[in-house]
């Protein structure tokens, strides 16, 4: 964001927060608009993890499929550390209250969620980041599967509660919370992308060999991108845990990573604003807007064919296939959304390179 | 002897599962060899073959249902390639892989819609699903058939690739995609043939697999699919014997873990699925091209 955009930008953000608060206070949980709040909350959380995946796939050219694994690490770290001491006996009922007897404040839990995910990413990154494209993808996917098995392991039960659910930890009271945390994190990612590191990432994406010849330390920069991305995935995992009010390792499967990847692709690989917009669209479509497809409709005497439970997802995946096949650039391509450009009406090409191979 | 009869079922199951993974892994390794694409939808093709069998055998006798399942699966594999991968031939590789993930998502959701999310009971195939006793261990006949059938199919496939014209075209395409086009090889028909062979073997694999594990759910293809891919990478992607050996190793090791589980103090059965990936990460670190893979050099 340029200097002259800063003030309008801040005003816009403040207005957005006020609007959200207004919506939250005036939509009753019974009304049909209540889904809007759910979509907004979940969308903001997915926006963060999508942007963090975009940092890897879109800006550094590392095709990683471990995002759900790092979210799981974040979610578990948060939940394990913040369950109030008096609730532990009940949550860990099969493991005599677990081995942790203290509870950290929520905000510390969130930061630690990111830190632990980042530490795991750093360690796993040491060996796997040497791998190239597809091999990296399958190795990170494999890593996520290993972690999922580890977290459900009965022997680690006193720590992770085995395959049982973790719950009773503090959650957020207001919709502003996920928005502010996600917003701050996305702002940090954008700052990283615009820094010299970000330019080095893009150089690596466009041509590894050329980047190395220009004096960029490949291993070092890839490790930074991977660790930072996982840090934010961990934080979004903690937010997701708060949103769901319970965590179970089995929900963080490869299908979840694919969903995040599809969000990134729909938004445009290499566009932060694209990822954010498409997160909200994706969640809104899958949770809310297409709901009517799941219900049987009768017009006159004719029952509309095909419409029954599950049809929504079929239509949704067809839409995704159409986007993947015919609109490969996604919503934003690798451009960024900007109000000044929108209002001045000229479509200036951004300076970002292409995200090919 | 007691030890032997107690652990024999694990060996048998391992070899049998290994054979089933091998049949799926060949589809991965052939497609990767030519297109450099991880066909994420391949595991779901395998699942669809299972569902087709469930629905077809409800109304048709088994000897009609089986060939029909195979034909339909091949048709689906062919269609997926034509619709979802062919238009992206000039696109960056990542787009094709994302398209594969999209197809996988679509097939799973379609299966969810049709089945209503309930596990479908796989029909018992006469003779194949019968219980037999091998050296005192009771098992289904399919367990014994699988490794032999796998080996026969692999030998036929290798002959096809080594001796026939289309096989030669496939080898040429996997060596150098662009040059083979210039030499007059019709690349689209080569790729279609690859998908047809892959889907055919996946259909056979699904017949064998589901005779043992009889619940078909929309997501059941994911795990065997990923493991078969790991097997293909382990053996050296692009190499058919490599994929088969990799698949047998993974199948056997996986069941060894279940066997060990009787003796160790901790419950390690959770790691049955994770083991394949651990093996993958280890092999990629020490021999990134797999056991029988060709050395690749980067060109600037």
């Amino acid at each position: 964001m340029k200097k002259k955009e800063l003030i309008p930008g801040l005003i816009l953000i403040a207005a957005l927060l006020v609007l959200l608060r207004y919506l939250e206070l005036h939509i009753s949980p019974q009304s049909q608009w209540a889904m809007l709040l759910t979509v907004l909350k979940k969308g903001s959380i997915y926006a963060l993890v999508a942007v963090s995946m975009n940092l890897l796939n879109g800006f550094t050219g590392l095709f990683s499929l471990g995002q759900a694994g790092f979210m799981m690490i974040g979610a578990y770290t948060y939940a394990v550390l913040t369950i109030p001491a008096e609730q532990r006996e009940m949550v860990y009922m099969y493991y005599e209250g677990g081995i942790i007897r203290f509870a950290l404040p929520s905000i510390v839990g969130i930061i630690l969620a990111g830190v632990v995910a980042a530490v795991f990413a750093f360690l796993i990154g040491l060996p796997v980041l040497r791998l190239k494209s597809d091999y990296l993808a399958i190795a990170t996917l494999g890593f996520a599967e290993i972690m999922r098995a580890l977290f459900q392991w009965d022997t680690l039960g006193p720590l992770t509660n085995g395959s049982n659910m973790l719950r009773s930890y503090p959650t957020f009271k207001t919709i502003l919370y996920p928005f502010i945390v996600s917003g701050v994190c996305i702002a940090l990612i954008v700052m990283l992308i615009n820094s010299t590191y970000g330019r080095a990432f893009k150089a690596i994406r466009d041509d590894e060999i050329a980047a190395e010849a220009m004096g960029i330390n490949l291993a070092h920069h890839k490790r930074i991108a991977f660790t930072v991305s996982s840090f934010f995935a961990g934080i979004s995992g903690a937010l997701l845990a708060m949103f769901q009010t319970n965590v179970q390792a089995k929900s963080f499967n490869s299908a979840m990573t694919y969903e995040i990847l599809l969000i990134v692709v729909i938004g445009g690989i290499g566009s932060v604003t694209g990822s954010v917009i498409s997160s909200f669209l994706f969640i809104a479509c899958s949770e809310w807007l297409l709901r009517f497809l799941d219900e049987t409709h009768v017009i006159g005497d004719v029952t509309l064919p095909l419409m029954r439970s599950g049809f929504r997802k079929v239509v949704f995946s067809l839409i995704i296939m159409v986007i993947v096949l015919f609109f490969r650039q996604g919503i934003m391509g690798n451009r960024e959304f900007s109000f000044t450009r929108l209002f001045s009406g000229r479509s200036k090409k951004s300076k970002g390179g292409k995200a090919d191979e | 002897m007691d030890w032997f009869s107690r652990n024999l079922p694990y060996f048998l199951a391992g070899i049998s599962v290994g054979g089933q993974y091998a049949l799926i892994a060949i589809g991965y390794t052939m497609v990767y060899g030519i297109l450099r694409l991880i066909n994420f939808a391949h595991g779901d093709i395998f699942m669809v073959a299972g569902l087709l069998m469930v629905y077809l055998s409800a109304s048709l006798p088994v000897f009609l249902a089986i060939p029909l399942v195979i034909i339909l699966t091949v048709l689906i594999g062919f269609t997926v390639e034509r619709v979802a991968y062919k238009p992206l031939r000039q696109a960056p590789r990542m787009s094709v892989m994302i398209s594969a993930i999209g197809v996988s998502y679509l097939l799973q959701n379609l299966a969810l819609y049709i089945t209503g999310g309930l596990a479908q009971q796989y029909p018992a195939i006469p003779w194949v699903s019968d219980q037999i006793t091998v050296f005192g261990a009771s098992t289904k006949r399919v367990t014994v058939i699988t490794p032999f059938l796998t080996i026969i199919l692999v030998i036929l496939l290798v002959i096809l690739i080594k001796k026939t014209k289309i096989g030669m075209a496939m080898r040429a395409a996997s060596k150098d995609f662009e040059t083979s086009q210039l030499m007059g090889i019709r690349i689209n028909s080569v790729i279609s043939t690859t998908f047809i062979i892959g889907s055919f073997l996946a259909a056979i694999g699904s017949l064998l697999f589901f005779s043992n594990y009889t619940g078909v759910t929309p997501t059941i293809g994911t795990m065997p699919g990923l493991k078969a891919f790991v097997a293909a990478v382990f053996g050296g992607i692009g190499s058919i014997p490599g994929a088969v050996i990799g698949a047998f190793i993974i199948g056997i090791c996986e069941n060894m873990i279940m066997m060990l589980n009787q003796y160790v103090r901790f419950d390690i059965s959770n790691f049955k699925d994770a083991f394949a990936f651990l093996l993958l990460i280890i092999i990629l670190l020490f021999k990134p091209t797999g056991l029988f893979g060709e050395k690749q050099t980067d060109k600037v």
Side-chain angles (χ1 to χ4, degrees), chain A residues 57 63 65 127-128 130-135 138-139 141-143 145-146 149-150 152-155 209 254 258-259 261-262 265 269 282 306 308-311 313-314 316-318 320-321 324-325 328 356-357, chain B residues 32 36 38 40 83-84 87-88 91-95 97-99 101-106 109-110 112-114 222-223 226 229-230 233 237 266-268 270-271 274 277-278 280-281 284-285 288 298-300:
Chain A
N57 291 12
F63 195 39
L65 293 177
V128 300
R130 283 192 291 166
L131 303 170
K132 291 272 153 60
S133 58
D134 310 339
Y135 291 105
I138 201 83
L141 190 68
F143 166 74
E145 289 297 326
I146 295 172
L150 196 67
Q152 295 186 53
W153 192 19
D154 202 44
T155 311
I209 298 167
S254 51
Y258 296 161
E259 266 183 11
L261 179 67
L262 291 173
V265 172
I269 296 175
F282 190 98
L306 297 174
R308 62 182 160 89
S309 177
F311 191 56
K313 290 207 147 185
V314 176
F316 187 49
S317 32
L318 282 173
I320 288 175
M321 277 316 290
V324 169
L325 286 178
R328 246 184 296 144
D356 292 1
E357 293 220 276
Chain B
Y32 193 92
R36 300 278 177 269
I38 305 180
F40 279 103
V83 174
L88 299 177
R93 268 169 60 196
M94 199 148 133
S95 306
M97 185 137 59
I98 289 160
S99 178
I101 290 177
V103 172
S104 156
Y105 197 68
L106 174 64
N109 283 333
L110 213 54
L112 190 72
Y113 172 63
I114 290 166
T222 315
M223 239 334 137
L226 282 176
F229 179 73
V230 170
V233 175
I237 198 127
F266 305 119
D267 178 26
I268 53 171
N270 268 2
F271 294 98
F277 298 105
L278 194 66
L280 170 81
I281 293 179
L284 284 180
L285 294 180
D298 281 337
K299 286 177 223 131
V300 181

Side-chain angles (χ1 to χ4, degrees), chain B residues 140-268:
Chain B
K140 283 184 177 170
R141 188 169 273 131
V142 63
T143 318
V144 186
I145 300 172
T146 305
F148 294 106
L149 188 58
T150 307
I151 303 287
I152 292 169
L153 286 171
V154 169
I155 290 171
L156 287 178
L157 183 61
V158 170
I159 292 172
L160 177 88
I161 286 176
K162 289 265 147 83
K163 303 282 180 196
T164 64
K165 211 167 179 188
I166 185 80
M168 200 196 274
M170 280 178 188
R171 280 183 288 146
S174 78
K175 264 274 182 308
D176 191 330
F177 194 82
E178 261 137 36
T179 315
S180 65
Q181 262 174 312
L182 296 176
M183 307 298 263
I185 290 172
R186 273 180 310 190
I187 205 75
N188 284 328
S189 68
V190 170
I191 292 169
S192 292
T193 317
T194 315
F195 274 83
I196 287 170
I197 295 173
S199 312
F200 170 76
L201 294 174
I204 307 264
S206 104
L207 285 172
L208 300 169
F209 185 86
F210 289 116
S211 292
N212 252 337
Y213 307 92
T214 53
V216 190
T217 61
T219 51
I220 197 155
T222 315
M223 239 334 137
L226 282 176
K227 282 182 195 162
F229 179 73
V230 170
V233 175
F234 184 75
I237 198 127
S239 146
I240 289 171
V244 174
I245 293 172
F248 275 111
I249 292 178
I250 286 180
I252 293 170
C253 287
E254 210 176 84
N255 280 279
M256 289 297 104
I257 289 183
M258 298 307 279
M259 187 184 96
L260 274 177
N261 200 27
Q262 306 170 66
Y263 302 108
V264 294
R265 211 157 52 83
F266 305 119
D267 178 26
I268 53 171

Side-chain angles (χ1 to χ4, degrees), chain A residues 88-301:
Chain A
R88 284 186 184 264
E89 207 61 49
M90 196 183 71
V91 175
Y92 287 90
M93 56 188 190
Y94 301 107
Y95 300 99
E96 283 117 26
I99 48 166
I100 293 177
R101 293 287 168 184
F102 57 89
L104 294 174
S106 171
I107 189 72
V108 182
I110 289 192
I111 293 168
L112 279 178
V115 172
V116 173
V119 169
F120 271 99
F122 179 79
L123 293 177
I124 190 70
L126 289 177
V128 300
L129 285 178
R130 283 192 291 166
L131 303 170
K132 291 272 153 60
S133 58
D134 310 339
Y135 291 105
L136 177 69
I138 201 83
T140 44
L141 190 68
F143 166 74
E145 289 297 326
I146 295 172
M147 291 316 290
R148 201 154 62 88
L150 196 67
F151 276 45
Q152 295 186 53
W153 192 19
D154 202 44
T155 311
L156 284 180
L159 187 64
T160 62
N161 210 9
S163 51
N164 306 302
M165 205 177 262
L166 285 170
R167 58 202 153 80
S168 302
Y169 47 81
T171 55
F172 47 74
K173 301 274 183 299
T174 157
I175 192 171
L176 298 183
Y177 193 96
F179 269 85
I180 291 175
V181 175
S182 289
V184 170
C185 290
I186 291 173
L188 288 174
I189 296 177
V190 170
M191 279 158 73
L192 178 74
I193 290 172
N194 291 333
S195 71
T196 46
Y197 280 108
R199 277 190 282 277
F201 293 162
K202 287 176 196 160
I204 293 173
R205 171 192 70 189
D206 290 342
D207 191 336
E208 270 195 18
I209 298 167
E212 199 170 20
M214 298 295 284
I216 294 171
N217 185 340
L218 284 188
H220 179 69
H221 281 87
K222 283 182 177 180
R223 214 177 295 142
I224 287 181
F226 194 61
T227 315
V228 169
S229 159
S230 306
F231 175 83
F232 290 113
I235 288 188
S236 78
L239 288 176
L240 189 69
M242 295 168 108
F243 168 74
Q244 291 174 337
T245 69
N246 60 57
V247 196
Q248 220 170 355
K250 71 173 181 203
S251 62
F252 294 88
N253 50 13
S254 51
M256 190 171 178
T257 304
Y258 296 161
E259 266 183 11
I260 302 165
L261 179 67
L262 291 173
I263 290 179
V264 172
V265 172
I266 293 168
I269 296 175
S271 165
V272 173
T273 36
S275 292
V276 174
I277 296 169
S278 96
S279 305
F280 285 106
L281 277 180
F282 190 98
I283 300 293
C285 287
S286 71
E287 307 260 324
W288 187 35
L289 294 178
L290 296 176
R291 268 283 150 90
F292 71 95
L293 291 171
D294 272 4
E295 291 146 19
T296 30
H297 294 266
V298 183
I299 299 174
D301 291 338

